[in-house]
Amino acid sequence: MALKIVKGSIDRIFDKNLQDLVRGIRNHKEDEAKYISTCIDEIKQELKQDNIAVKANAVCKLTYLQMLGYDVSWAAFNIVEVMSSSKFTYKRIGYLAASQCFHESTDVIMLTTNQIRKDLSSPNQYDTGVALTGLSCFVTPDLARDLANDIMTLMSHTKPYIRKKAVLIMYKVFLKYPESLRPAFPRLKEKLEDPDPGVQSAAVNVICELARRNPKNYLSLAPLFFKLMTSSTNNWVLIKIIKLFGALTPLEPRLGKKLIEPLTNLIHSTSAMSLLYECVNTVIAGQYWESVGNLCVQKLRILIEDSDQNLKYLGLLAMSKILKTHPKSVQSHKDLILQCLDDKDESIRLRALDLLYGMVSKKNLMEIVKKLMLHVDKAEGTTYRDELLTKIIDICSQSNYQYITNFEWYISILVELTRLEGTRHGHLIASQMLDVAIRVKAIRAFAVAQMATLLDNAHLLTGNTQRNGICEVLYAAAWICGEFSEHLENPMQTLEAMLRPKVATLPGHIQAVYVQNAAKLFATVLKGEEGNTDGTAAQEASQLMIDRLPLFVQSANLEVQERASCILQLVKYIQKLQQKDVEVAEEVNALFAGELNPVAPKAQKKVPVPEGLDLDAWINEPPSESESEDEQPKAIFAKEEPKHSRPRHTEVDEKELARRREARKQEQANNPFYIKASPSSQKVYQEAPGVEHIPVVQIDLNVVLPFSCLPMSDQYVKMEEERRQKERAEKKKKEKKKRKEKRSGRGKKHDSAPESEEDITPAHMVDIVTEEMPENALPSDDDERDPTDPHKALDIDLDKPLADSEKLPVRSHRAAEAQKSPTDGETENATLQEPKKKSSKEKREKKKDKERDRKVYDIQGNLQDGSQVVVSVIFENKCNSFLKSMEFNVLDSLNSKLQRPEGSGPHDGLVVPFQLPPGVSNEARFVFTVQSIVMPQKLKGTLTFIVKNEDDSTHEKLDFKLHFTCTSYLITTPCYSDAFAKLLESGDLKSSSIRLEGVNMPFHHLLARICFHHHFSVVERIDSCASMYSRSIQGHHVCLLVKTTVSIDAKCDEPTLLGNVLDEIKQTFSQC
Amino acid sequence: MRFLLLFSRQGRLRLQKWYTAISEREKKKIIREMTTMVLARQPRTCNFIQWKDMKIVYKRYASLYFCLGVEHEENELLALEIIHRYVELLDKYFGNVCELDIIFNFEKAYFILDEFLMGGEIQETSKQIVNRAIESSDMLQETMEEYMSKPAF
């Protein structure tokens, strides 16, 4: 007792447990980082100890620190050690740490394969469970491939606890190793009807996730799911199933009809909002809108009116989905949605905004935007205000300004938006101004006038700060004024505004535009003064330029400087000419002649590749790969260079060319995607009857309100209203006249009818110039699916019968892989393959049902103390009969003996302590004693068993061989680099070396393979070589130095062992 | 589900669980964004946030925020249920759970979570079965555990 206390206290000197650590951190609020760094030092000490309990405790603390954000990747190996502890307490901690810290690039993961496999087949279900949970977090493609079969077996485990977990983790395995989907799918499907509800719901979850990504492959499961849906009462499961149907129905319309009834029932009856919401979503996605749509919209309205913010939000979200397919149903709830704009919850307002986007029409656009502008004024947070701003612009500009009937109104809205302080979206407003001014020709005069006012009042925009994003607007203003300066009332005044000294505080790219457009304006001024005999105004303009431009010549911005000095010289030259009374206006204007047309954003991409040009073909043959490594950089260069050179010409004669051109034109004419040149695209607006005759509202620019008190758009709203009314009245008159002519006194009712969309004609003759596209534009630029999407790989046809090549790689004893090599003769065949073959032979001889008694024998060498070897054998019953009374026997050799219980003879078999129902697997372990481990060994053995059918039972036997390779005597043992160096220096080791021929894989794969197949661990890796270490069960050290040139230098204190291990390594690599 | 985070009102992380493989740097970035974003939310606003290509569903229980990142197609209300169920499980295990329970027994909080969710999917919808699984694996642990038999705090 006393001893125990003393021992405990000694242990605890080192042992600051997790609670102490947490308490410590909380007590050291001021110097937390320092405290933690001392803790980490302590942990490092603890990790060096042999006591697994201390290690586990340290790892547990590390997990906590990892959560706080500290890097613990250095302890990855220790985590693996704790994971492989045989005690559940520590194993649990180890797996937890691994699941938190490991990720795909953690290199020790490759060491865990065997450990995980062992845990998966542990008789203790919680060991298995903990391994599955951990694996679900850090599964890599390699792990998935190696363990897929083990996990698949676990799906039929006797314990539902394990089945459930195995089913769920299969999804992760599919993602990492898509080849496993087809072989595993039948079993997964079986689990949909598992007696345990947990397993069933897990299977539903997995299939639902799979089907959502690639629905078409799962259509055949619909009847099964339909059955589940009508029978299940578990809402969690129901939601998943309904979601699944949401993905399936678009592909199979008949399914929709069948679902209407159960869905309607659920919508009516359920009290669970989550289920209701899922049903509504599925209805929206599916094809049964006619019958249930109205019900859904009603339910959504109830949700939106609910006081629960969450329901309100989701209601709006679902509405926006409906909007895409059935806008009419949503538009009738406009009142409710506008109301939501006043909600105090920002996310709800944003949702409502989204909805408004789809609800606008020509008729209500102005009204909605007016409401939004009010919100812009009220909005407190800049993010929300910015969101409003972008939404306003989105709403107005959608589908090519389809809903705007009055562009003067829109320009004034844009101008009003420039008053927002601190918005990030100056750029957006600017690009809208440019877009409208360029594409709507009729609005240019008005736009130019507005922009001139903006430039004149630039100080209001730039006012306080440089970072003010709104000054981007001036970029647009300056460009519009310059480019369309012929519309300017008073170009001289604008020119003066553009050359104010304050401009020099603007960002460089804006100044550059200012300078360039000042020149354009200057040209316009000259042109305006041309006729005048008195040339003072023109000379004043030149003088102004010459006075102000030097400021820009000094600019730090290169672009500004260059343009300014260029223009300054030009103006100086012009001034000279002016003094000689030479007319220069025409020449100066010629500098800026010609119109700039808008180019479609995707134009460049759509330029078709000319016939006969293969962009992927080599122009110069790539240099051969045999060149030495040092020259590689040069080679890369040479490869890239040709890309810049001229494309290869193919020789085609003139006739051929003409023919092709003709064919292309023909093709374009028939191609609906080819956007033709502008004349035809103006059609939309010309179609409106009598557009030319609409009286254009005259705007007296002199009465434009001073800029600072500008809610001008309202004016236009009013004007527009009046205009529309007038139009209507006129129309009425006309109609009345018409009717009077025909028959009097019938049209009254019709007059009061609300005006329909088509009745509103735009105020201007708006010709939206279509953006230019290159000739022969290619129609296709669909957004392709993200090529990195992991689900893409899972698009696999599941109904095709399974081919043999698709079977999951069955784990096998290391030695099993060596047997495929041609050097081994037929007789060498052992372990896994052999029993399979034999059993099939047996089958044929007895001419029984083919599925009779297939079994898989998986043998893992598992090694412990000096002379003992543990072999675990997994028995799996693949036939439909019950197997019992299994006896395992091996013919001992001098060197290796099967350990039998005392009192039994040397040739007695061992009873396998379990029976196997069909489809079940289990593991048994057998201990062998070996004397010498320097040579590989083969042992012959037999398994006898009774096959029990319903009516008869037979006694059968199966022969097998166990192959003890030298590798299997090695145990993965970590080694620190200093200890490793000492070992090499000691001189006790004999050396040997091999070269691996024809190995062509990345270095780290090579290392991983050696680690995996031959139980080595990496000590250190420096650039092109890595040192590796392993130890035999009898304490022989084996050291390897592996180089990227795939040679291995090895040292070991036992040369025979070393030679055999190297041979085995060589064999491993000769197969790949 | 992509991840689950628990953090305090001060933005201290109490638990993190990731169901997709992402780099440490990315994780830290997400954690930082989540805490600032969720903590900045006004009271009495809805519990959902659209964030990049996913939905964030969060809920506050006493001084702790539970924050779940789910796929875009996921059902938000179900996500809330999941959070709530997890809180119930914690409550059952610790008996009226508080933040300190989770701080000092953070590994237990993970174990409970692992029995409830796995690989980002719901593993068990029955509270009883989850509780039973945790109890029996704890039993397994307690019998072996003589070493770390200190009081919790």
Side-chain angles (χ1 to χ4, degrees):
Chain A
M1 186 66 202
L3 185 71
K4 206 177 168 187
I5 292 169
V6 172
K7 194 174 163 284
S9 63
I10 288 172
D11 276 351
R12 280 183 191 158
I13 291 170
F14 284 104
D15 174 30
K16 181 187 279 169
N17 72 8
L18 177 67
Q19 275 78 28
D20 297 328
L21 175 79
V22 175
R23 209 172 296 132
I25 292 174
R26 291 168 71 82
N27 291 337
H28 290 77
K29 285 230 163 76
E30 283 78 39
D31 53 347
E32 191 184 293
K34 203 176 135 206
Y35 177 76
I36 289 181
S37 79
T38 56
C39 287
I40 288 183
D41 288 342
E42 282 170 24
I43 290 171
K44 280 183 180 161
Q45 287 304 316
E46 287 166 26
L47 287 177
K48 281 190 188 142
Q49 294 196 29
D50 278 338
N51 187 339
I52 189 73
V54 178
K55 265 187 192 161
N57 185 38
V59 164
C60 187
K61 288 190 283 185
L62 279 178
T63 315
Y64 188 79
L65 293 179
Q66 190 268 346
M67 186 182 68
L68 295 184
Y70 291 86
D71 173 38
V72 300
S73 53
W74 49 268
F77 193 80
N78 303 100
I79 293 174
V80 176
E81 281 181 308
V82 176
M83 269 164 79
S84 37
S85 157
S86 56
K87 290 194 175 182
F88 179 71
T89 314
Y90 308 138
K91 191 184 284 300
R92 202 183 191 188
I93 290 172
Y95 271 104
L96 174 64
S99 65
Q100 294 300 107
C101 312
F102 287 5
H103 44 86
E104 276 195 18
S105 50
T106 308
D107 22 343
V108 293
I109 284 193
M110 60 200 180
L111 302 178
T112 59
T113 318
N114 282 324
Q115 181 57 41
I116 295 173
R117 179 172 290 159
K118 204 175 116 197
D119 288 333
L120 289 183
S121 51
S122 160
N124 179 351
Q125 63 166 330
Y126 294 104
D127 280 351
T128 315
V130 115
L132 284 173
T133 314
L135 190 60
S136 75
C137 291
F138 57 78
V139 60
T140 61
D142 285 343
L143 280 178
R145 188 193 57 236
D146 293 339
L147 296 172
N149 197 52
D150 303 60
I151 299 171
M152 201 168 104
T153 314
L154 289 179
M155 284 207 288
S156 328
H157 199 272
T158 46
K159 301 256 175 41
Y161 179 79
I162 299 300
R163 287 207 300 275
K164 179 173 80 185
K165 281 180 188 273
V167 166
L168 279 177
I169 202 180
M170 260 342 250
Y171 178 59
K172 293 275 164 188
V173 172
F174 296 152
L175 285 181
K176 300 287 177 191
Y177 179 57
E179 288 87 337
S180 60
L181 180 57
R182 276 171 44 77
F185 193 73
R187 202 171 285 188
L188 183 61
K189 198 167 131 191
E190 262 169 47
K191 297 297 134 193
L192 283 175
E193 291 175 299
D194 197 280
D196 183 83
V199 181
Q200 201 182 32
S201 92
V204 169
N205 275 343
V206 170
I207 293 184
C208 176
E209 282 306 305
L210 289 169
R212 219 159 68 186
R213 267 68 183 224
N214 301 299
K216 65 174 192 307
N217 304 330
Y218 298 86
L219 272 175
S220 61
L221 289 181
L224 188 53
F225 275 107
F226 192 80
K227 204 174 90 195
L228 282 177
M229 176 171 148
T230 40
S231 60
S232 176
T233 50
N234 183 337
N235 280 350
W236 304 76
V237 176
L238 272 176
I239 288 178
K240 284 282 174 186
I241 297 178
I242 290 169
K243 194 185 279 296
L244 175 79
F245 278 125
L248 293 185
T249 40
L251 301 174
E252 179 55 71
R254 277 172 300 173
L255 203 54
K257 256 182 225 150
K258 232 185 150 190
L259 281 172
I260 290 174
E261 200 200 319
L263 275 182
T264 323
N265 288 345
L266 277 175
I267 293 176
H268 276 300
S269 64
T270 185
S271 59
M273 280 302 171
S274 47
L275 183 56
L276 171 68
Y277 179 60
E278 198 58 55
C279 290
V280 171
N281 265 335
T282 296
V283 170
I284 294 170
Q287 326 234 322
Y288 11 72
W289 186 258
E290 276 65 41
S291 34
V292 221
N294 283 332
L295 176 64
C296 286
V297 178
Q298 272 170 36
K299 286 278 177 185
L300 287 182
R301 194 175 167 104
I302 296 172
L303 288 190
I304 298 174
E305 282 168 342
D306 199 287
S307 60
D308 184 341
Q309 300 286 12
N310 288 339
L311 298 184
K312 195 177 282 225
Y313 177 90
L314 292 178
L316 290 171
L317 194 65
M319 280 284 197
S320 60
K321 284 182 198 155
I322 297 178
L323 189 67
K324 282 179 203 136
T325 49
H326 301 87
K328 283 260 159 58
S329 328
V330 183
Q331 269 156 7
S332 55
H333 299 281
K334 198 180 85 190
D335 55 319
L336 190 64
I337 290 157
L338 280 173
Q339 216 175 302
C340 289
L341 275 185
D342 296 319
D343 199 283
K344 53 184 181 311
D345 184 348
E346 189 175 302
S347 30
I348 288 181
R349 292 196 303 251
L350 290 176
R351 284 276 135 247
L353 271 180
D354 277 350
L355 272 173
L356 282 180
Y357 176 80
M359 288 171 58
V360 289
S361 61
K362 281 184 184 171
K363 197 173 130 199
N364 63 15
L365 174 74
M366 285 185 163
E367 180 200 340
I368 288 179
V369 171
K370 188 178 165 190
K371 185 132 202 221
L372 293 180
M373 290 300 281
L374 284 178
H375 281 282
V376 171
D377 290 336
K378 277 194 291 186
E380 312 107 28
T382 42
T383 30
Y384 178 57
R385 212 180 48 183
D386 281 357
E387 189 62 33
L388 271 171
L389 191 154
T390 44
K391 266 286 145 18
I392 291 177
I393 289 180
D394 280 355
I395 288 175
C396 293
S397 63
Q398 66 177 310
S399 28
N400 226 354
Y401 306 102
Q402 190 192 342
Y403 300 114
I404 296 185
T405 53
N406 187 334
F407 277 93
E408 287 171 4
W409 165 81
Y410 185 45
I411 293 274
S412 35
I413 287 284
L414 289 176
V415 172
E416 268 174 54
L417 287 175
T418 60
R419 286 178 305 147
L420 292 185
E421 259 172 54
T423 178
R424 288 181 294 115
H425 294 299
H427 187 73
L428 190 61
I429 302 176
S431 68
Q432 279 292 298
M433 286 173 168
L434 286 171
D435 200 38
V436 172
I438 295 170
R439 295 175 58 193
V440 188
K441 281 186 180 153
I443 200 66
R444 285 184 190 162
F446 179 76
V448 166
Q450 291 290 307
M451 294 304 117
T453 330
L454 262 185
L455 285 178
D456 216 19
N457 295 294
H459 58 279
L460 290 174
L461 295 182
T462 53
N464 34 12
T465 43
Q466 273 281 333
R467 55 169 185 84
N468 205 339
I470 203 68
C471 62
E472 287 291 332
V473 172
L474 294 174
Y475 177 98
W479 190 86
I480 292 170
C481 284
E483 185 65 25
F484 306 120
S485 50
E486 69 270 18
H487 298 290
L488 268 181
E489 194 85 341
N490 190 350
M492 191 60 193
Q493 188 188 338
T494 311
L495 181 60
E496 196 274 333
M498 277 168 73
L499 292 171
R500 283 180 199 150
K502 191 113 203 248
V503 173
T505 59
L506 289 172
H509 66 286
I510 298 179
Q511 281 186 56
V513 167
Y514 264 69
V515 171
Q516 188 73 15
N517 286 288
K520 291 182 196 166
L521 274 178
F522 175 64
T524 316
V525 173
L526 290 189
K527 199 180 175 189
E529 297 299 323
E530 180 109 300
N532 285 359
T533 41
D534 164 33
T536 48
Q539 286 184 7
E540 263 172 40
S542 319
Q543 196 52 48
L544 180 71
M545 293 287 274
I546 290 168
D547 289 346
R548 299 281 175 85
L549 277 176
L551 177 66
F552 297 102
V553 174
Q554 294 160 11
S555 170
N557 186 304
L558 214 63
E559 181 80 17
V560 180
Q561 199 188 79
E562 195 178 1
R563 291 186 186 199
S565 51
C566 210
I567 290 166
L568 183 61
Q569 290 312 314
L570 182 74
V571 175
K572 278 182 181 161
Y573 180 66
I574 291 169
Q575 200 183 29
K576 265 187 210 157
L577 291 177
Q578 277 175 336
Q579 280 156 2
K580 291 178 195 158
D581 277 336
V582 181
E583 298 239 314
V584 286
E586 206 173 313
E587 276 88 353
V588 177
N589 269 291
L591 285 174
F592 306 108
E595 197 166 344
L596 295 174
N597 282 332
V599 175
K602 286 175 188 160
Q604 179 68 44
K605 233 198 305 181
K606 295 202 170 187
V607 178
V609 180
E611 267 175 76
L613 174 68
D614 181 4
L615 288 174
D616 296 325
W618 292 108
I619 292 170
N620 298 325
E621 276 307 307
S624 64
E625 284 178 16
S626 58
E627 275 170 312
S628 74
E629 277 174 42
D630 331 13
E631 281 177 46
Q632 214 158 8
K634 207 172 141 200
I636 290 169
F637 221 17
K639 262 186 250 166
E640 278 177 354
E641 227 168 24
K643 281 186 190 164
H644 306 296
S645 64
R646 289 176 56 201
R648 190 172 42 175
H649 286 287
T650 46
E651 284 176 27
V652 191
D653 62 63
E654 273 300 301
K655 261 187 196 167
E656 174 66 12
L657 272 179
R659 196 189 58 76
R660 279 189 199 165
R661 212 174 287 140
E662 203 46 50
R664 205 155 51 220
K665 270 190 192 146
Q666 199 67 41
E667 200 184 64
Q668 280 164 17
N670 299 332
N671 188 347
F673 295 104
Y674 179 73
I675 299 174
K676 283 117 192 154
S678 41
S680 58
S681 60
Q682 294 169 10
K683 222 168 27 194
V684 189
Y685 286 91
Q686 282 163 358
E687 263 167 11
V691 173
E692 286 92 327
H693 307 299
I694 299 164
V696 176
V697 183
Q698 286 296 317
I699 299 140
D700 190 353
L701 287 175
N702 297 330
V703 295
V704 167
L705 295 167
F707 179 71
S708 36
C709 50
L710 245 188
M712 223 172 42
S713 57
D714 287 355
Q715 249 175 273
Y716 290 99
V717 174
K718 228 187 224 164
M719 275 197 246
E720 177 73 9
E721 285 298 306
E722 281 166 15
R723 184 183 72 85
R724 283 185 193 174
Q725 235 156 29
K726 229 198 281 178
E727 218 169 75
R728 237 175 297 164
E730 246 165 56
K731 217 178 251 171
K732 261 186 241 167
K733 255 189 231 160
K734 266 187 208 162
E735 270 171 33
K736 259 183 200 164
K737 251 188 209 164
K738 268 187 202 165
R739 264 185 223 116
K740 264 179 195 163
E741 279 164 17
K742 284 181 183 172
R743 197 180 293 172
S744 53
R746 244 188 121 186
K748 273 201 173 173
K749 265 183 200 165
H750 187 263
D751 288 344
S752 56
E755 64 179 327
S756 66
E757 275 291 274
E758 295 78 55
D759 288 343
I760 306 169
T761 42
H764 305 269
M765 196 177 83
V766 185
D767 48 342
I768 292 192
V769 183
T770 316
E771 294 154 324
E772 281 187 349
M773 274 292 191
E775 258 180 65
N776 317 344
L778 298 172
S780 64
D781 61 337
D782 306 327
D783 295 319
E784 286 195 3
R785 269 174 95 178
D786 180 8
T788 58
D789 181 6
H791 301 289
K792 209 176 165 188
L794 287 182
D795 189 357
I796 295 168
D797 183 3
L798 294 164
D799 298 328
K800 245 180 8 195
L802 207 60
D804 266 353
S805 57
E806 283 181 304
K807 295 249 166 65
L808 287 177
V810 178
R811 59 184 164 157
S812 57
H813 190 239
R814 308 296 146 266
E817 296 189 21
Q819 281 130 35
K820 284 177 221 146
S821 71
T823 49
D824 281 318
E826 259 293 310
T827 48
E828 298 271 74
N829 271 348
T831 55
L832 177 70
Q833 278 90 356
E834 186 74 336
K836 256 194 184 167
K837 265 185 206 158
K838 285 237 164 130
S839 65
S840 61
K841 251 183 227 161
E842 244 172 4
K843 241 182 279 162
R844 247 171 275 138
E845 282 165 11
K846 293 179 184 173
K847 290 183 183 159
K848 280 181 185 167
D849 176 22
K850 273 196 175 177
E851 285 294 300
R852 255 318 284 283
D853 37 32
R854 264 204 293 161
K855 280 169 240 71
V856 177
Y857 295 72
D858 295 332
I859 301 172
Q860 302 174 320
N862 205 329
L863 317 158
Q864 263 148 30
D865 77 76
S867 59
Q868 281 198 343
V869 180
V870 180
V871 175
S872 356
V873 184
I874 297 190
F875 299 89
E876 185 181 7
N877 181 357
K878 288 196 165 177
C879 67
N880 294 320
S881 319
F882 195 89
L883 301 188
K884 60 179 216 177
S885 313
M886 291 188 277
E887 250 184 49
F888 179 89
N889 202 357
V890 172
L891 210 58
D892 293 346
S893 71
L894 278 176
N895 190 34
S896 315
K897 291 188 171 68
L898 175 64
Q899 275 203 347
R900 296 176 167 87
E902 269 180 58
S904 55
H907 303 296
D908 291 348
L910 283 182
V911 177
V912 179
F914 47 77
Q915 305 179 327
L916 286 178
V920 171
S921 66
N922 209 337
E923 181 191 303
R925 295 178 182 194
F926 304 97
V927 182
F928 287 79
T929 43
V930 278
Q931 280 170 353
S932 159
I933 60 159
V934 298
M935 297 284 280
Q937 276 266 323
K938 286 193 198 76
L939 294 184
K940 280 188 183 174
T942 333
L943 182 79
T944 54
F945 51 92
I946 294 175
V947 182
K948 206 180 159 211
N949 283 330
E950 274 154 34
D951 27 49
D952 67 332
S953 58
T954 50
H955 203 265
E956 287 181 15
K957 78 172 199 170
L958 211 58
D959 294 329
F960 59 86
K961 282 180 190 173
L962 288 176
H963 191 159
F964 293 93
T965 54
C966 284
T967 290
S968 54
Y969 299 122
L970 297 181
I971 312 173
T972 313
T973 319
C975 181
Y976 292 103
S977 52
D978 40 353
F980 188 76
K982 240 178 240 167
L983 198 62
L984 289 182
E985 280 165 14
S986 66
D988 304 337
L989 307 182
K990 317 279 183 302
S991 70
S992 166
S993 69
I994 53 163
R995 239 187 113 73
L996 301 174
E997 298 298 341
V999 176
N1000 194 9
M1001 58 170 80
F1003 193 46
H1004 65 276
H1005 282 191
L1006 182 101
L1007 294 183
R1009 250 170 205 268
I1010 297 180
C1011 288
F1012 180 80
H1013 294 298
H1014 300 285
H1015 310 179
F1016 279 86
S1017 64
V1018 177
V1019 180
E1020 204 169 17
R1021 185 182 160 184
I1022 306 158
D1023 299 332
S1024 60
C1025 61
S1027 45
M1028 306 177 92
Y1029 176 80
S1030 187
R1031 219 172 69 164
S1032 78
I1033 49 170
Q1034 292 180 355
H1036 304 106
H1037 304 286
V1038 188
C1039 307
L1040 300 183
L1041 184 69
V1042 188
K1043 293 177 186 154
T1044 40
T1045 51
V1046 267
S1047 66
I1048 298 177
D1049 293 327
K1051 283 191 171 182
C1052 178
D1053 37 15
E1054 174 53 66
T1056 328
L1057 176 69
L1058 181 64
N1060 285 320
V1061 169
L1062 287 181
D1063 280 349
E1064 283 160 19
I1065 292 180
K1066 209 167 177 175
Q1067 267 173 3
T1068 309
F1069 284 98
S1070 68
Q1071 290 154 22
C1072 56
Chain B
M1 255 164 276
R2 305 262 190 99
F3 58 80
L4 173 71
L5 302 177
L6 262 69
F7 47 84
S8 69
R9 243 177 344 167
Q10 291 76 36
R12 299 278 285 189
L13 196 64
R14 296 300 178 209
L15 184 142
Q16 54 169 324
K17 189 85 194 175
W18 302 86
Y19 293 112
T20 46
I22 45 175
S23 68
E24 287 300 313
R25 255 185 68 208
E26 190 70 8
K27 282 183 189 173
K28 277 186 187 163
K29 227 174 89 192
I30 293 179
I31 292 170
R32 208 175 325 118
E33 280 197 48
M34 283 306 119
T35 44
T36 45
M37 203 162 68
V38 169
L39 292 174
R41 299 274 290 182
Q42 303 289 323
R44 287 196 45 74
T45 54
C46 71
N47 298 102
F48 318 123
I49 310 173
Q50 296 274 0
W51 188 74
K52 295 194 177 165
D53 61 336
M54 49 178 143
K55 289 172 178 169
I56 308 300
V57 178
Y58 71 92
K59 194 158 170 73
R60 184 178 159 178
Y61 287 89
S63 57
L64 265 189
Y65 283 90
F66 289 68
C67 173
L68 196 61
V70 298
E71 307 285 338
H72 210 268
E73 307 85 12
E74 215 56 66
N75 185 324
E76 290 91 340
L77 293 172
L78 190 68
L80 271 182
E81 298 269 349
I82 289 173
I83 293 180
H84 187 72
R85 176 58 58 90
Y86 181 43
V87 174
E88 282 178 338
L89 289 171
L90 290 173
D91 216 39
K92 174 89 183 156
Y93 184 85
F94 290 109
N96 204 0
V97 67
C98 67
E99 194 183 340
L100 280 181
D101 288 322
I102 294 175
I103 297 173
F104 282 105
N105 299 287
F106 88 115
E107 83 278 22
K108 300 276 187 206
Y110 277 116
F111 294 149
I112 296 170
L113 183 63
D114 286 340
E115 290 299 331
F116 174 44
L117 302 175
M118 188 168 131
E121 293 299 321
I122 304 161
Q123 181 185 157
E124 184 53 70
T125 55
S126 152
K127 270 186 273 187
Q128 285 80 14
I129 295 185
V130 176
N131 281 326
R132 225 177 296 146
I134 295 164
E135 272 166 32
S136 35
S137 41
D138 270 356
M139 285 300 283
L140 205 61
Q141 173 162 342
E142 300 308 329
T143 48
M144 290 183 194
E145 192 175 85
E146 290 137 22
Y147 183 75
M148 292 208 277
S149 55
K150 281 189 182 177
F153 58 90

